[in-house]
Amino acid sequence: MIRDYMDYRPPPEVLAKMELIRLPADRRGFRLDITAPRIRAALDEWKREQHIPIGDPLSDGERKDFELWYMITRRERGF
């Protein structure tokens, strides 16, 4: 239990989810535009890490995983 609430530091996943929720969603509920060059480059990097062929489309679950990964990575790398 946290004795002093001022000492609490949320983990990066929680901060990323909070940022992601604040972004406007498209009609399918996705928040990032994967056609933007910076996000497309990050998507290709993520696909390589996950061993997903670059040309294959993402499932809805993979897309949500990528969006969360992007927000966490963006905070860490500062891009």
Side-chain angles (χ1 to χ4, degrees), residues 13-79:
E13 296 84 22
V14 172
L15 294 174
K17 283 181 183 178
M18 289 170 40
E19 269 187 67
L20 201 55
I21 288 171
R22 281 188 262 157
L23 295 174
D26 66 2
R27 62 185 174 86
R28 292 176 309 223
F30 301 127
R31 307 212 182 254
L32 298 177
D33 177 19
I34 60 173
T35 61
R38 180 179 291 172
I39 296 174
R40 173 53 74 179
L43 176 61
D44 292 344
E45 177 186 343
W46 182 80
K47 280 184 168 184
R48 279 191 295 277
E49 287 178 9
Q50 301 297 317
H51 305 290
I52 299 172
I54 300 295
D56 286 358
L58 297 177
S59 68
D60 290 349
E62 290 171 337
R63 176 76 181 260
K64 298 241 184 237
D65 292 343
F66 165 70
E67 288 183 348
L68 183 60
W69 174 86
Y70 179 81
M71 297 304 281
I72 293 169
T73 306
R74 197 188 89 204
R75 281 185 143 282
E76 291 172 354
R77 295 183 189 173
F79 63 82

